[in-house]
Amino acid sequence: MACRHGSRIGLGGALESEDDESDSGSDSDGGGGRMSPGSSEWQQATGYISSSYFSNQLYAFEVWLQHAATVVSQFVSDRGPDQTPRSLSTERPSNLDPPDELPAVLQVLLSQQYRVRALILLYRFMNLGPWAVDQAMAVGMYPYMTKLLASTTTEIREILILVWARLSAVDMSLHPELMKREGFDYFVGYLANNIQMQTEAVSEKIRLCDTVSAASAFTLAMLCRDNVDAQLMCFDERVLDYFLVYLQRPDNGTEERACLRTWIILCLAELWKSHPNAKWMAITYKLCVIASKKEDQQQNQAAGHAPSFEELLASSAEDHSVDA
């Protein structure tokens, strides 16, 4: 992917603070003081001592990730025998042993207490390269991720979208699952619900919102590639309208906002490919899109896609004039 999803997602800040709040908020159901099994009050009342096994597994996995980040960074910076830069493919560096804690981390996803922390660690793991995504899938990550898509819990929405963006980029066989209504609405819904955030001043919250919105646009672009059904679903769900609003919002000068605009333009290119109705609607958006690209302080990210964007619009006008 051209942009680094989660380059400033505040893994040690915003998302983890939500985890802490969810832990404290899950101690009781808030409806009459009834204690939830596993809460601190329930443990004090019953004398039950919870096991620290899963907490220890998460800590051990986090330590492994710190070591792995150093190994991977060194691996990428080293030159190959022919002095060409190395890239991470489907194979992990030979001097990096796989994490023993990965199966236990997946089990932790079933626990509301540790779920956000586990998802953050899994996202960091998959950022190590496509080989990490393959390994997570090999130990049975898929059923856990599909189950979470049906969850109505808002505290995991951002990190879950980032995780699915990684999965959809590496494993195309997962796309049919995302085409189901609950999966598709997960990404479109986030874009629709966070449009107003685009006018707020720059903050860590806004950076996170732009990063997750870019991940949503990226995932939709992957789904729309040579997929007429996905194109029609985006068209019916007014994705083009949402994208227009996003492109009209002022540039805040951040890398995250530039990345978001880039993936919106790329998703538009995939959305109206071989889709006359979407192409013709895009003619109305032409000036807005061009203006947004000119405002971007990082034009090098979006400018490379401008020719194909303009060609698509030009072909739309030609097609319409012929039909007329």
Side-chain angles (χ1 to χ4, degrees), residues 84 119 125 143 154 172 192 282 311 323:
T84 58
L119 284 170
F125 175 65
T154 58
M172 305 295 182
E311 289 169 6
D323 293 339

Side-chain angles (χ1 to χ4, degrees), residues 7-28:
S7 57
R8 299 191 183 188
I9 62 172
L11 291 178
L15 288 176
E16 288 189 350
S17 65
E18 291 177 6
D19 186 24
D20 295 336
E21 294 173 3
S22 66
D23 292 345
S24 61
S26 61
D27 288 344
S28 64

Side-chain angles (χ1 to χ4, degrees), residues 272 279 305-318:
W272 62 53
K279 281 184 178 181
H305 308 292
S308 61
F309 183 78
E310 295 300 324
E311 289 169 6
L312 283 171
L313 291 175
S315 65
S316 301
E318 292 174 359

